[in-house]
Amino acid sequence: MARKLTLLFAAALLILSAVPVLAQDSLIESVCLVTDIGKINDGTFNQFAYEGFERAFKDFGLDNTFIETQAPTDYDTNMSRCIDDGYDAIVTVGFLMTDATLKRAQETPGVYFIGVDQFVQNGPENYVGLIFREDQAGFLAGALAGQLTKSNVIAGIYGIDVPAVKKFRNGYEQGARFVNPNVTALGVYIDSFTAPDRGASAAGQFLGEGADVIFGAGGQTGSGGITRAAQEGALVIGVDQDEFFTTFGSGETPGAENLVSSAIKRVDNAVYQAIEALVNGGEGWVGGSNIVMSADNDGIGFAPAHLAADKVPQAVIDRTNEILAGLKDGSIVTGVDPISGDLLPTIAEIVIAQSSAETPEFTTLLAAVQAAGLAETLTSGGPFTVFAPTDAAFAALPEGALEGLLADTEALTNVLLYHVVPGAVLAETVVGLSEATTAQGSPISIEVKDGSVVLNGSAKVVTTDILARNGVIHVIDAVILPPQ
């Protein structure tokens, strides 16, 4: 009898040890997910969000439910159901729910809100946005397409032109041109994420125009497009998660042999991390702001070719991995605004535009760039980091020095290139450097004095991170001269 009781007690302990236990300082005990229009098994965005949600509620033992949205008019009603049923946290999926989620977060401070693809700026402390560098994921997809196309015509089928989708499109087209300047990129936005028939129709049109690689970035709409294209023999690229396992049924759906990759956006990890932050008492919760998933934190990537591996040479994979590494370390930039999804102006265009502003700072710099013949380099070259001296900085040079430089093209070019560093080095990286190497091969010393970044002990960085299509500009208050 004693042995039986011992065995029963041991079995009970095993069962109890398998049940997740919430941390004592957890801010939540329950979580509710509201999809964008569509279901949790849609094969793309909603499904990936749900998978992270599911992993979190299982790992942390949270009470949970989900609601599938049928129409935009249901957003507020569905969140109300979560609130009325007493859920502590609500995950809302998709950019289109931003306004409704913000309104509910402001009205219900006792409930936490996690908005997937929702940019939050100065929001309430109970609201966090999960945003992604879709431009980087699209850039990788474009790099694959640009290398694999034989016709030099590629295409993309996109959903509603919200920022996330614009980032995918512009990143894709930029990545393709990065590896193949001769490529022609076709594309269309379709005003629905749940219209696979319209996606398929667009694919048919692009195939007729010579496209031999097609990217789908629009939920079920994009999936419908790449399914048709793949079944008609074109190479295709999926989005969000590895569509080999979803849209192409782990290889069972016809056309799977033509899926060369998917632009991975780790929505699942982002949702999981946000819920985990609440379970851990708020550690990692950035209330009123955003968790950003990028190449730098493995928030984006690209999927293996699976059945299409024989159509993707190893050299193409190696090159794409090199580009991924470049996106991580900043030596490669997408040229896409990471918030709006619009294409950024080039460094030269920024300098030109600022020179004609109401209070211009770069008129002398522009004149110097033009005199040295560097305008084309700063338009098409890069990526670069430019430490840009202001007009006041040039005016502070010793009397006659500027005139002498402008009259000596070689010396002027030497000085200007000393202000240019290869790669796109953002402020957060600059402050961690002790030295950078300029485009002319000379070192610049970098130190932080009294909270300011100072170059060569003389030039202070006064404005940081002006993003450009081909790099980044930091404004400095003095001209730094190269060593003699």
Side-chain angles (χ1 to χ4, degrees), residues 136 295-297 321-333 383 385 422-426 429:
Q136 293 181 337
D296 187 51
N297 60 11
N321 275 318
E322 289 173 2
I323 291 169
L324 176 58
L327 292 170
K328 285 185 177 183
D329 66 22
S331 59
I332 296 173
V333 293
T385 298
V425 186
L426 297 175
T429 303

Side-chain angles (χ1 to χ4, degrees), residues 442-456:
S442 299
I444 294 179
S445 70
I446 299 173
E447 57 185 328
V448 178
K449 288 183 178 179
D450 300 324
S452 298
V453 175
V454 180
L455 310 178
N456 283 5

Side-chain angles (χ1 to χ4, degrees), residues 27-44:
L27 300 177
I28 61 171
E29 296 180 355
S30 58
V31 61
C32 178
L33 180 140
V34 179
T35 72
D36 199 352
I37 301 169
K39 298 182 178 296
I40 61 166
N41 62 348
D42 64 359
T44 56

Side-chain angles (χ1 to χ4, degrees), residues 115-161:
V116 181
D117 258 2
Q118 298 169 26
F119 179 70
V120 178
Q121 186 171 25
N122 299 321
E125 285 296 313
N126 61 327
Y127 182 23
V128 158
L130 306 181
I131 60 174
F132 303 81
R133 289 297 305 270
E134 291 93 349
D135 56 305
Q136 293 181 337
F139 197 91
L140 294 170
L144 286 168
Q147 293 176 87
L148 292 171
T149 179
K150 292 181 170 59
S151 67
N152 275 344
V153 180
I154 65 171
I157 297 167
Y158 309 98
I160 303 169
D161 60 346

Side-chain angles (χ1 to χ4, degrees), residues 71-101:
T73 51
D74 298 334
Y75 291 151
D76 192 66
T77 301
N78 290 344
M79 280 187 280
S80 292
R81 287 173 57 188
C82 294
I83 294 167
D84 293 344
D85 288 344
Y87 286 92
D88 301 321
I90 302 172
V91 180
T92 63
V93 182
F95 173 84
L96 297 177
M97 296 186 72
T98 302
D99 291 343
T101 305

Side-chain angles (χ1 to χ4, degrees), residues 28 48 51 135 166 197 202 207 210 218 223 226-227 267 292 324 375 392 419 421 426 481:
I28 61 171
F48 219 12
E51 288 174 359
D135 56 305
K166 289 166 64 179
D197 55 335
L207 292 170
S223 297
I226 64 171
T227 299
V267 177
V292 182
L324 176 58
H419 292 76
V421 173
L426 297 175
L481 301 175

